[in-house]
């Protein structure tokens, strides 16, 4: 566990840094052969991040005051409607769950997905995530952290299939 970083809700003043982190993440994905997931669509768009901040589901991981990573976290019954239908598999738990979306790191510190997962699992006992098939680094990290592949979901921005994973306490 990383003890010298904290999670807090994103604030409007964080928006430029958050968008720069997403730019870094797009470049990282392309460098690892994942040219479609975010870079092809300029994902995520700033208006979506603004909405995340407005409704309180955008978070940042900070070390002192430096933002190291950002992610969207939601939880509750049917936390994400795109997870209501899963193909070629099934969810292990049919209960309230949390979802981490749009996680991105500045690249200055390792372990940001582990920290975000710990934060999310402290708020709900089941956590789900998805990623593009070409995102080998993310798939590897999720499996290393104990996420289990469950099947395929489709996300609204492009209706492309995403590999869906689940972790429970």
């Amino acid at each position: 566990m990383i003890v010298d970083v904290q999670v807090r809700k994103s604030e409007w003043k964080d928006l430029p840094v958050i968008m720069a982190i997403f730019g870094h993440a797009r470049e990282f994905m392309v460098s690892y052969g994942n040219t479609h997931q975010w870079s092809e669509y300029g994902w995520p768009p700033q208006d979506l991040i603004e909405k995340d901040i407005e409704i309180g589901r955008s978070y940042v991981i900070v070390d002192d005051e430096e933002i190291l990573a950002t992610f969207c976290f939601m939880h509750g019954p049917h936390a994400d409607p795109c997870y209501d239908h899963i193909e070629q598999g099934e969810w292990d738990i049919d209960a309230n769950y949390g979802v981490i979306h749009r996680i991105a790191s500045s690249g200055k510190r390792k372990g940001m997905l582990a920290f975000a997962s710990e934060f999310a699992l402290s708020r709900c006992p089941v956590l789900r995530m998805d990623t593009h098939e070409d995102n080998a680094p993310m798939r590897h990290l999720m499996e290393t952290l104990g996420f289990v592949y469950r099947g395929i979901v489709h996300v609204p921005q492009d209706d492309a299939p995403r590999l869906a994973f689940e972790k429970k306490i």
Side-chain angles (χ1 to χ4, degrees):
M1 182 166 136
I2 304 167
V3 294
D4 60 338
V5 298
Q6 300 295 318
V7 174
R8 68 167 170 79
K9 287 199 174 196
S10 302
E11 301 171 3
W12 288 109
K13 69 179 182 172
D14 301 329
L15 188 60
V17 175
I18 290 170
M19 295 311 297
I21 287 173
F22 285 126
H24 171 77
R26 283 190 290 274
E27 291 173 6
F28 177 85
M29 285 187 208
V30 168
S31 75
Y32 278 85
N34 184 5
T35 59
H36 304 291
Q37 185 173 354
W38 282 4
S39 60
E40 198 170 272
Y41 304 100
W43 193 259
Q46 183 167 320
D47 62 336
L48 177 60
I49 304 311
E50 290 171 356
K51 180 180 177 183
D52 288 345
I53 293 171
E54 182 179 320
I55 62 178
R57 64 183 184 195
S58 176
Y59 292 83
V60 289
I61 301 173
V62 297
D63 179 356
D64 292 320
E65 289 300 314
E66 183 178 12
I67 297 173
L68 300 172
T70 183
F71 62 97
C72 171
F73 173 65
M74 0 184 210
H75 60 94
H78 304 286
D80 187 335
C82 77
Y83 286 9
D84 287 350
H85 177 73
I86 187 165
E87 300 171 356
Q88 301 176 21
E90 62 186 15
W91 299 113
D92 186 47
I93 303 289
D94 187 24
N96 290 346
Y97 61 91
V99 177
I100 290 178
H101 281 308
R102 299 183 282 285
I103 186 162
S105 168
S106 66
K108 294 180 181 178
R109 292 272 301 271
K110 293 185 182 287
M112 296 297 102
L113 179 59
F115 197 76
S117 298
E118 288 175 16
F119 169 83
L121 286 166
S122 74
R123 283 147 180 80
C124 60
V126 179
L127 182 59
R128 295 177 181 168
M129 293 183 67
D130 67 80
T131 193
H132 196 281
E133 183 176 15
D134 291 342
N135 196 341
M138 180 60 77
R139 288 192 341 261
H140 173 74
L141 282 173
M142 285 192 287
E143 290 169 357
T144 299
L145 292 172
F147 284 82
V148 177
Y149 173 74
R150 294 292 178 205
I152 296 173
V153 296
H154 292 267
V155 295
Q157 73 259 24
D158 61 5
D159 197 40
R162 297 290 193 266
L163 306 178
F165 294 81
E166 184 175 53
K167 181 176 181 171
K168 58 187 174 184
I169 296 178

